[in-house]
């Protein structure tokens, strides 16, 4: 473990000087030395190992991460995180300090240790962005480690849509922190389609004020090992979360969707629907933990995971968890695993559709429910293209 931390220390020396980030970098490296990257002995990582990452001599990726947006209206600021730290100093650095993390979150420490690249988005109260902002967080360096930190803050009553995409190779480690003031609304679509040899670790943290709404859709279909962790805190009364995701794992891909959801206020609602299609020697993971705090009465928390295993060597690990410390709640979780419906296949074949096309139609129907959570238009097109590419192969 210390060898990997020593390597990260050498990479730190190549980063541009950023005084406001120095304490975060030093703290991140210290945490990484203490914990190392998580392995299967850490409960939250029992199904996913990052051991192959530790064995590689990564260099800093010449990262091409950039946002694409139409002209931004007054009250919206989108700037590189390094520039924002130079301007705002300790106040912004304090907002990026990891909170409530433990040894399972060593990737947060790694992210802090190499803090340099990323973006700050501030949306003033009451402002509505007319078009989505696209954060293109690609890594085009097969031997490079791309480390991205983004902070998104929406003021009271503001609204926005965000498209976050990850492509390329190498090792990508991203942290997206979201703060929604009371009444703010954010739609967040996330597409991860790295190459088959790539490694990916992503953390999305969201904190929702009263009556804030956060809708999240995630599609993962690339990478040797890829994990996205979604950690959401419903901190204000009446906050709402809708989180949906789809993993398409083929070849030897290992794709992990992990959720940590905290209901801390009364009258909040959350809905989670995650699906997996696993073929060849692919492996999918779904972990979903919901905690309802004392006093979070009238909580409505629903969770469902559905998986199709298309080969004898395909595998899925599911781990739903509920911790309920309030007595006036409506909570449920469930998981199903199976193959394509034989009766539906027979029905299609009986109408002259060949076996390959019949299977594809059923798979597309299985995925469509997640796709439909993305508004029609330009935002949905890259997801349709990614699905078509996967199904075609």
């Amino acid at each position: 473990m210390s060898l990997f931390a020593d390597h990260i220390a050498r990479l730190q020396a190549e980063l541009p000087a950023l005084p406001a980030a120095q304490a975060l970098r030093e703290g991140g490296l210290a945490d990484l030395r203490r914990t190392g990257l998580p392995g299967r002995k850490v409960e939250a990582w029992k199904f996913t190992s990052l051991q192959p990452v530790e064995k590689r001599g990564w260099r800093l990726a010449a990262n091409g991460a950039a946002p694409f947006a139409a002209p931004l209206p007054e009250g919206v600021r989108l700037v590189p995180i390094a520039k924002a730290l130079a301007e705002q100093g300790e106040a912004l650095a304090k907002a990026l300090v990891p909170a409530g993390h433990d040894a399972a979150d060593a990737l947060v420490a790694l992210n802090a240790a190499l803090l340099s690249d990323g973006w700050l988005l501030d949306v003033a109260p009451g402002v509505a962005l007319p078009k989505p902002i696209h954060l293109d967080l690609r890594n085009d360096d097969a031997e490079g480690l791309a480390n991205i930190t983004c902070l998104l803050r929406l003021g009271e009553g503001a609204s926005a849509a965000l498209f976050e995409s990850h492509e390329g190779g190498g090792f990508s480690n991203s942290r997206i922190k979201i703060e929604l003031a009371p009444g703010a609304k954010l739609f967040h679509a996330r597409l991860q389609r790295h190459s088959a040899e790539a490694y990916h670790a992503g953390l999305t943290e969201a904190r929702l004020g009263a009556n804030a709404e956060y809708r999240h859709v995630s599609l993962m279909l690339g990478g040797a090992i890829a994990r996205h962790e979604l950690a959401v805190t419903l901190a204000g009364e009446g906050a709402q979360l809708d989180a949906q995701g789809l993993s398409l794992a083929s070849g030897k891909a290992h794709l992990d969707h992990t959720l940590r959801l905290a209901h801390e206020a009364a009258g909040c609602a959350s809905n989670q629907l995650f699906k997996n299609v696993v073929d060849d020697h692919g492996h999918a993971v779904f972990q979903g933990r919901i905690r309802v705090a004392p006093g979070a009465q009238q909580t409505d928390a629903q969770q469902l995971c559905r998986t199709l295993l298309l080969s004898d060597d395909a595998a899925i690990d599911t781990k739903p968890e509920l911790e309920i410390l309030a007595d006036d709640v409506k909570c449920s979780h469930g998981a199903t695993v199976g193959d394509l419906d034989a009766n539906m296949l027979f029905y299609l074949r009986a109408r002259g559709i060949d076996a390959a096309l019949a299977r594809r139609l059923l798979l597309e129907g299985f995925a469509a429910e997640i796709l439909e959570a993305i508004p029609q238009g330009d935002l949905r097109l890259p997801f349709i293209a990614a699905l078509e590419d996967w199904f075609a192969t």
Side-chain angles (χ1 to χ4, degrees):
M1 297 295 185
S2 61
L3 291 177
F4 183 73
D6 289 343
H7 179 62
I8 298 304
R10 290 191 291 271
L11 293 182
Q12 271 189 337
E14 302 176 20
L15 295 174
L18 195 56
Q22 192 57 34
L24 284 169
R25 289 174 178 175
E26 292 174 356
L29 182 61
D31 287 345
L32 193 61
R33 287 193 187 281
R34 186 179 70 252
T35 65
L37 290 183
R40 296 185 187 276
K41 292 183 180 180
V42 176
E43 182 63 25
W45 286 78
K46 66 185 296 182
F47 304 119
T48 302
S49 172
L50 289 177
Q51 190 175 18
V53 169
E54 292 187 309
K55 296 179 179 180
R56 298 276 293 274
W58 303 104
R59 61 188 173 221
L60 290 175
N63 145 28
F68 299 93
L72 297 175
E74 185 177 351
V76 179
R77 188 164 184 262
L78 179 64
V79 296
I81 197 74
K83 179 181 179 182
L85 281 164
E87 294 173 348
Q88 301 181 33
E90 292 184 5
L92 182 57
K94 186 176 180 180
L96 294 173
V97 171
H101 296 284
D102 53 25
D105 299 291
L107 288 163
V108 177
L110 173 61
N111 187 271
L114 296 177
L115 176 58
S116 180
D117 292 315
W119 295 89
L120 168 68
L121 172 67
D122 271 325
V123 183
V127 173
L129 269 69
K131 292 188 176 181
I133 289 178
H134 178 194
L135 288 178
D136 181 6
L137 306 182
R138 66 177 59 247
N139 181 1
D140 291 324
D141 187 346
E143 301 299 325
L145 192 169
N147 191 77
I148 307 295
T149 308
C150 297
L151 176 59
L152 286 64
R153 301 186 293 202
L154 273 63
E156 188 169 354
S159 62
L162 175 71
F163 171 36
E164 173 192 347
S165 63
H166 298 263
E167 297 187 59
F171 173 33
S172 296
N173 181 42
S174 67
R175 180 189 181 204
I176 311 293
K177 187 172 183 180
I178 298 167
E179 298 176 1
L180 300 184
K185 298 180 180 180
L186 177 65
F187 179 79
H188 182 188
R190 187 180 195 276
L191 174 60
Q192 186 281 112
R193 54 180 310 187
H194 282 294
S195 66
E197 299 79 26
Y199 301 96
H200 175 86
L203 169 65
T204 301
E205 302 165 286
R207 185 173 181 85
L208 281 56
N211 298 310
E213 298 179 14
Y214 179 44
R215 295 169 56 208
H216 179 99
V217 179
S218 172
L219 172 59
M220 291 204 297
L221 43 67
I225 299 174
R227 169 173 163 129
H228 177 231
E229 183 169 346
L230 177 62
V232 181
T233 301
L234 288 85
E237 187 171 346
Q240 296 185 44
L241 165 71
D242 185 80
Q244 302 195 39
L246 174 65
S247 292
L248 303 174
S250 58
K252 296 182 179 180
H254 179 106
L255 306 181
D256 180 335
H257 267 126
T258 291
L259 281 76
R260 290 186 284 126
L261 177 57
H263 278 262
E264 293 188 349
C268 295
S270 64
N271 177 65
Q272 302 173 41
L273 174 61
F274 281 76
K275 294 186 175 185
N276 308 282
V277 179
V278 194
D279 201 359
D280 303 325
H281 289 79
H283 188 177
V285 176
F286 174 77
Q287 299 182 102
R289 182 175 187 269
I290 302 173
R291 183 182 188 274
V292 181
Q297 305 294 355
Q298 297 180 318
T299 286
D300 186 345
Q302 310 298 321
Q303 180 189 93
L304 177 62
C305 176
R306 299 178 60 199
T307 301
L308 292 177
L309 297 180
L310 303 183
S311 80
D312 292 339
D313 296 310
I316 174 70
D317 285 300
T318 60
K319 184 187 174 189
E321 296 179 80
L322 274 176
E323 182 183 3
I324 302 174
L325 303 176
D327 53 15
D328 181 12
V329 302
K330 183 168 65 174
C331 300
S332 71
H333 63 70
T336 63
V337 180
D339 199 345
L340 291 173
D341 190 314
N343 291 328
M344 290 301 298
L345 280 172
F346 177 80
Y347 177 88
L348 293 173
R349 294 297 310 281
R351 278 148 183 80
I353 299 174
D354 66 60
L357 180 56
R359 287 173 63 86
R360 175 168 174 165
L361 290 173
L362 291 181
L363 290 172
E364 289 179 344
F366 182 78
E369 187 174 6
I370 305 300
L371 194 66
E372 288 169 1
I374 304 172
Q376 291 189 12
D378 292 346
L379 191 57
R380 190 184 288 190
L381 294 178
F383 289 82
I384 293 175
L387 284 171
E388 288 181 347
D389 288 347
W390 194 86
F391 286 129
T393 57

